[in-house]
Amino acid sequence: MKWNKYTIKTTTQAEDFLSAMLDELGIEGIEIENNIPLGEADMAKMFIDFLPELPPDDGTSYVSFYLEDGGDHHALLKRVADGIEQQRQFVDVGEGGITSSDTQDIDWINNWKTYFHAFAIGDILIKPTWEPLEEENRDKILIEIDPGVSFGTGKHETTQLCIRQLLKYVKGRQRVLDIGCGSGILSIVALKLGAASVTGTDLDESCIVSTKENMKINRLPEEQGTFYVGNLIDDTELLEKVGTECYDIAVANILADVIIPMAKAIPARLKPGGIFITSGIIDFKEEEVKKAIEDAGFKIIEINRDGEWVNITAQKE
């Protein structure tokens, strides 16, 4: 289906006023584009490692909305134009002009599947659920993944760095803590390598749902995995649920700005001599993460790199 996109060129001051006006007219799905830099609070919420490069903020904003192609929208657009002029009484709306363009309704949720294909990391084959298993791969450890709306196909460098470390350190019948489990791929890798059980955490409930579904897809017993929604940094209730000194390995494929404050909570989760595998660390954050891990009482035993991404593996002393 095609849609007509209508864009109002306005000011950042007027964004909220115009958004409210469009909502009152029954227009949903409003899109706002501006060059306002993200603040520290935004970065903390979104776990952003580095800021996108934006042009200078000149106060310009573009407020867009979509109407189905082929309909008679003349009367509605007239009401939008009148609404813009009415808002001038209260706020500087800037130019306030409306431009239009056509857009195609693409199935974004499934379109990316074109780019996710089976691949191997050592003896492990990671395959999307919708692809057949090729004969030449039948001797590999098979992991089937349907990421759904969560992060984690295994293709990203950070995930592969973690998988290589799990291949090295999972020796069988160990307990593994997967922090920021996403689609559950690292939990499933650990279990397929012989871990006795996994406990996973994530901030997003949809990730827990996705992880449990992928456990079923890989025919792993439900009782081998326990998963919680929450933040290990300061959620005392979650820390109690996860437990104390009961894991042989903890793995965290998350961003540096999360690993740094979380590092101090990990030693208490691990048995003496336990291994902490981290990735998701952009290269210029390496020293900062390394210091936080060492300050938490770990000994760094390995640092590995893949492109601009870094894995730090440490041991509880």
Side-chain angles (χ1 to χ4, degrees):
M1 180 184 293
K2 291 185 68 176
W3 296 82
N4 298 132
K5 178 180 179 180
Y6 297 94
T7 301
I8 305 166
K9 185 176 181 181
T10 184
T11 67
T12 52
Q13 288 178 290
E15 287 173 356
D16 290 342
F17 290 86
L18 295 184
S19 296
M21 179 268 293
L22 292 171
D23 184 63
E24 287 176 2
L25 293 175
I27 295 171
E28 300 176 349
I30 298 162
E31 176 183 289
I32 296 175
E33 299 172 79
N34 59 45
N35 293 327
I36 298 175
L38 289 172
E40 289 184 10
D42 296 313
M43 289 181 67
K45 289 177 189 174
M46 300 171 69
F47 297 143
I48 293 175
D49 236 351
F50 48 91
L51 288 170
E53 293 185 9
L54 297 173
D57 176 26
D58 62 359
T60 301
S61 177
Y62 296 90
V63 178
S64 299
F65 57 96
Y66 297 82
L67 301 175
E68 190 174 332
D69 184 46
D72 183 3
H73 306 303
H74 180 78
L76 179 57
L77 292 172
K78 176 67 167 58
R79 293 173 68 191
V80 171
D82 290 343
I84 294 169
E85 293 309 308
Q86 289 173 9
Q87 294 303 319
R88 290 190 190 276
Q89 302 173 54
F90 312 106
V91 66
D92 176 14
V93 299
E95 183 179 306
I98 305 173
T99 57
S100 65
S101 60
D102 293 335
T103 183
Q104 195 73 27
D105 185 14
I106 298 172
D107 184 2
W108 294 111
I109 292 177
N110 292 301
N111 207 42
W112 63 273
K113 291 182 178 181
T114 308
Y115 307 99
F116 178 27
H117 301 291
F119 65 99
I121 304 173
D123 292 332
I124 293 175
L125 179 78
I126 297 173
K127 183 184 77 64
T129 54
W130 54 88
E131 271 193 6
L133 177 63
E134 301 294 338
E135 189 62 37
E136 63 266 25
N137 290 322
R138 292 190 179 276
D139 60 341
K140 295 188 180 296
I141 299 170
L142 176 63
I143 295 173
E144 294 191 283
I145 290 291
D146 185 350
V149 296
S150 62
F151 174 83
T153 64
K155 291 287 284 187
H156 197 273
E157 294 91 337
T158 62
T159 313
Q160 295 195 32
L161 283 164
C162 287
I163 290 173
R164 292 188 187 105
Q165 295 305 94
L166 289 172
L167 278 162
K168 185 179 295 188
Y169 289 101
V170 176
K171 305 298 182 184
R173 311 316 299 163
Q174 292 152 303
R175 293 189 66 187
V176 176
L177 176 62
D178 183 2
I179 306 158
C181 57
S183 66
I185 187 167
L186 296 179
S187 290
I188 292 166
V189 167
L191 291 172
K192 290 276 188 169
L193 290 173
S197 66
V198 294
T199 298
T201 69
D202 204 286
L203 295 174
D204 189 343
E205 174 67 34
S206 66
C207 291
I208 304 302
V209 173
S210 184
T211 294
K212 290 180 178 179
E213 285 300 314
N214 283 317
M215 288 272 290
K216 290 179 184 176
I217 289 167
N218 285 276
R219 300 173 183 83
L220 292 167
E222 186 177 341
E223 58 270 20
Q224 279 193 289
T226 305
F227 303 96
Y228 302 108
V229 176
N231 182 352
L232 279 179
I233 295 173
D234 52 19
D235 187 338
T236 54
E237 185 179 345
L238 177 62
L239 289 170
E240 288 178 10
K241 288 178 181 177
V242 166
T244 301
E245 289 201 343
C246 50
Y247 299 98
D248 302 281
I249 296 171
V251 58
N253 182 27
I254 46 184
L255 295 177
D257 286 342
V258 184
I259 296 171
I260 291 165
M262 187 184 65
K264 62 181 180 293
I266 305 305
R269 317 278 75 79
L270 288 169
K271 299 175 184 177
I275 300 295
F276 184 29
I277 299 167
T278 70
S279 192
I281 306 162
I282 195 73
D283 50 14
F284 60 79
K285 291 274 190 176
E286 178 181 333
E287 289 304 316
E288 196 176 346
V289 176
K290 182 180 174 184
K291 182 180 185 302
I293 290 173
E294 288 176 329
D295 288 349
F298 286 102
K299 176 185 177 182
I300 306 295
I301 55 176
E302 277 192 64
I303 296 179
N304 301 289
R305 298 174 180 84
D306 190 344
E308 62 187 353
W309 298 101
V310 180
N311 149 251
I312 298 175
T313 300
Q315 188 168 30
K316 178 178 174 178
E317 296 190 284

